[in-house]
Amino acid sequence: MTNAAPNSLVTGVLGGNRRAAGRAISRIEAGGSQAEQLAREIFPHTGTAYVVGVTGPPGAGKSSLVDDLAQAMRDGGNRVGIIAVDPNSPFSGGAVLGDRIRMTRHVLDEGVFIRSMGARGHLGGLAEATRNAVAVLDAMGMDIVLVETVGVGQSELEVAETADSTLVVIPPGLGDSVQALKAGIMEIADIFVVNKADHPQAERTMLDIRDLVHMDRVKRPWTPPIVKTVATEDVGVADLWIRIQQHRQYLERSGLLEQKRRRRFEREIVDIAERRVRERLLLPAAESDTFRGMLDRVVRREVSPYEAAETLMPVAAGRNR
Amino acid sequence: MLKESQIEDGYDEWKSSLGMERNSDFTTLSGKPVETLYTPLDIASEDYARDIGFPGQYPYTRGIYPNMYRGRLWTMRQFAGFGTARDTNRRFHYLLDRGMTGLSVAFDNPTLMGVDSDDARSLGEVGRTGVAIDSLADMEVLFEGIPLDRVSTSMTINAPAAILLAMYVAVGEKQGVPAEKLTGTLQNDILKEYIAQKEWIYPPKAGVKLVVDTIEYTSKHLPKYNPVSVSGYHIREAGSTAVQELAFTIADGMTYVEESMARGLPVDSFAPRLSFFWNSHIDFFEEIGKFRAARRIWARLMRERYDAENPRSWLMRFHTQTAGVSLTAQQPENNIVRTALEALAAVLGGTQSLHTNSMDEVLALPTEKAVEIALRTQQILAFETGVVNTVDPLGGSYFVEAMTNRMETGAREYFDRIEELGGVLAGIDAGFFQREIADAAFDFQEELEDHRKVMVGVNEFVDESPIDIPILKIDPEVEREQVRRLRDLKAQRDNACVAAKLEALRDAAARDENVMEYLLEAVRAYATIGEMSEAMKPVLGVYREPAFV
Amino acid sequence: MTENPPTASAPIRILMAKAGLDGHDRGVKVVARALRDAGMEVIYTGLHQTPEQVVRAAVDEDVDAIGLSLLSGAHMILFPRVLDLLREEDASDIVLFGGGTIPDDDVATLKQMGVAEVFTPGASLDSIVTWVRENAGGRAVGTITAPSGDQS
């Protein structure tokens, strides 16, 4: 089935065939025209799944939490897709993807699909490949898709852009450095989760987050709740699931879900366009003799990089000077 | 006696005369650098009385008994167990007839995991790496003809250890041997499972609760029985360095002491019966330093940190097994040599009992001939080499004392780090130990691949000879027979009684009571290991492996 | 106008699995790291997996190969079971290799059954990584056909 035309893969995915879904996601990850073709064909069949992003610094226990959440969601009658993203090594390009170790109990559940993805260092590509993987699971019939990423690089922001509800999971014991958490991470949270809440410092961490949230309250009508969990003991997870559902209801009733998704498509379109411009126009243009000549002049300090960049535009637009 | 300044001058002169060194690795197996020479200068700050002392006296660096092997040799305790209880019983009689002085039981994987032989997960594993025990009926067969008041039994079991202990007591009852007369050891060290051996049922907190239950129960009813063998062996086998083995194991021991004391047990009421289990690996002097440091560290902790007053609480008794991970499948006869040297290190390190590996252990459970050679190895050490003629013969060696000190320093650094994390349970949760071990394992593998470390026959001195050691294969009929026996048992016993006992067990666990009496009741009714383990799961929880690789 | 090219060949994806009740994961974790350092994406199942769980993971993760580590002696039962399940799931193109304390004549039998390779104790990481690279990379090659204009 390696070289099966995208058509039959799509049919398989729509029919809930797991092999087809696994294959489809691989094709998505590989990028290129076959990936785009597949994404195009899948697209009309998406829109049902509700996407929950789970992010936060390493050591927060996200995998256990996702495992527990999936159970709570299953108990509620939902089919659940899980995408666990880990960074690839910038040196070797490889990765060890170990998040599913925590989710063994769901492996044989027909209503759960778990996929591990390496971020593969794509420029903004995390978002595109993940988005399309989510789309595959959506088209396959998943009611909820959980996307878990570890909080390094830009991944949290990218997850927030893909998700309807974003959970930021914080381990206790960070002390004063809750403030030190990357600036963006506090703004993207729809729900805060303090996991390992049986830790002596958990209460302190909660208070620190509450302070930050209060300072921020003026700007947003939805005040992110702070939920305490002990994922290893399945404590607090039912409460968390309720909060997620509350957030969803809030988004739906206020019309914000539509707005969010609209903005998401806008960003997605621009992302794709940017990528294409880069791949098809800018990079080839940078190979041109005109450009190389300009580069030499920059090196000799005859012109500035700004003027050189300008020359990429007309070459890119296909007009010769 | 040379004055220190004279030694320094001599040393400098010697140092300037050094020629080129061979292009070889002069680090220990754990990667610690070793000097060309050790002199009194290296142990100048040693106080003989404080740091080295006399055997049988605090801090026990030289040994825990005043005359050690001149008084009594170590116990030659060879691990055995495979197939059905009947097969193992036969092997026990074979070994006892050939001079072995204590029994050691190995259980199969399903039993180790608290799972019955007819469970779906047991497929292909019943009776393979040890004996299959599903119920008291199997235990009775296992010890048939073996009087429990005259034989000491070590049971290598952890997650369901409390259940096996109850079974052992029940077998004693049937033989008319009261619990107070039973001697032996239970491995029952659940913390190292989360760290290294990975045989678990419940989460760490619940696992420790069960360990404390057995400590409490044996302190009251089995005064001659050792309820816990705090183990470093597996930690080392998982790839740790010698210092990590030392530090993590003692940290585990400290945790059991603290948890038991937290339950209200006076330290002297149980500490004398805690014992340890070390690995003896191939780097000769590193291991000897490790054993001596272990005794000294434990003595100091027990006396200074836990205020134990009974000297028997201070002394660390331990069993040693030669390193399985040092054995090779290539040229297996070489393993006889490795085992002999590792056994010598353990003896020079003052072990109380010793298991020597068989040469074919890399491939499968050992054959009778290989087991015999392993036992003879110990007998030759004991009766021919003369190393037992004096206590701690290497004491005073500048190198060995320096190595002992270095081991203790390294361990204490780890203790500080573990304390910062919040203790062993917090460390396990954070994956600290698992990562340290995985890193050390990976580093060692890289050293092998780069030929910075050598394994004879594997990456150097390789030959193409085929491996032709006869391999003991387990007859698949064993599994079928065991499943049949289990089915018959379930049909013949009083199932209503079993159900009632299981419920009582679960309720006791829910009330956070000591479960030992309830386990005994269930065992006597012929409940199975799987049933008893399952009964407690709703209360104690189920452990999920952390996502560290 | 050129169609956008595929990303530089997608990494080989391997499922490293521990089946059976034994808890020895030192070897499987060391191999996982080595494969990662060689640029592959390695998904680790964790301990105590049943053959059903292993195959389900392999299919959902759409891996190129499964590396099955077995040190309990149950290899003659568990390896064939995995092969059968792969067949049932229409996933026999996923390459199965393994490691553990497996005697030579069992290795030969397993290979006849369809296990592609078995690495016994002492096998170097280099040899394992090389073998995997040469035998498990099937789908990275040939997945994307050369673009030339429209692709519908």
Side-chain angles (χ1 to χ4, degrees), chain B residues 24 114 189 248 270 456 524 532:
Chain B
S24 189
D189 170 8
F248 297 171
F270 65 86
V456 174
R524 289 183 192 121
M532 288 182 269

Side-chain angles (χ1 to χ4, degrees), chain A residues 171-202:
Chain A
L174 285 183
D176 292 332
S177 51
V178 164
Q179 276 85 352
L181 277 177
K182 283 181 283 183
I185 208 175
M186 300 307 271
E187 269 96 62
I188 62 171
D190 294 312
I191 301 170
F192 286 102
V193 183
V194 177
N195 192 26
K196 306 190 185 183
D198 52 347
H199 191 283
Q201 299 217 10

Side-chain angles (χ1 to χ4, degrees), chain A residues 58-109:
Chain A
K62 290 186 292 297
S63 299
S64 301
L65 192 67
V66 166
D67 177 58
D68 288 345
L69 260 182
Q71 185 63 48
M73 292 168 176
R74 288 294 289 138
D75 291 340
N78 297 286
R79 303 188 71 217
V80 182
I82 299 171
I83 296 179
V85 187
D86 276 307
N88 292 59
S89 157
F91 304 111
S92 71
V96 173
L97 309 173
D99 295 304
R100 65 180 300 140
I101 295 174
R102 279 297 208 178
M103 305 175 195
T104 300
R105 64 171 149 161
H106 298 296
V107 175
L108 291 179
D109 185 342

Side-chain angles (χ1 to χ4, degrees), chain B residues 2 4 23 39 42 96 111 129 138 242 251 335 350 360 367 386 390 426 429 467 503 533:
Chain B
L2 287 179
E4 200 166 292
N23 182 23
T39 67
D42 291 287
L96 287 170
T111 307
T129 56
D138 295 316
N335 293 330
D360 51 5
T367 55
T390 192
D429 196 46
I467 299 163
E503 202 177 308
S533 301

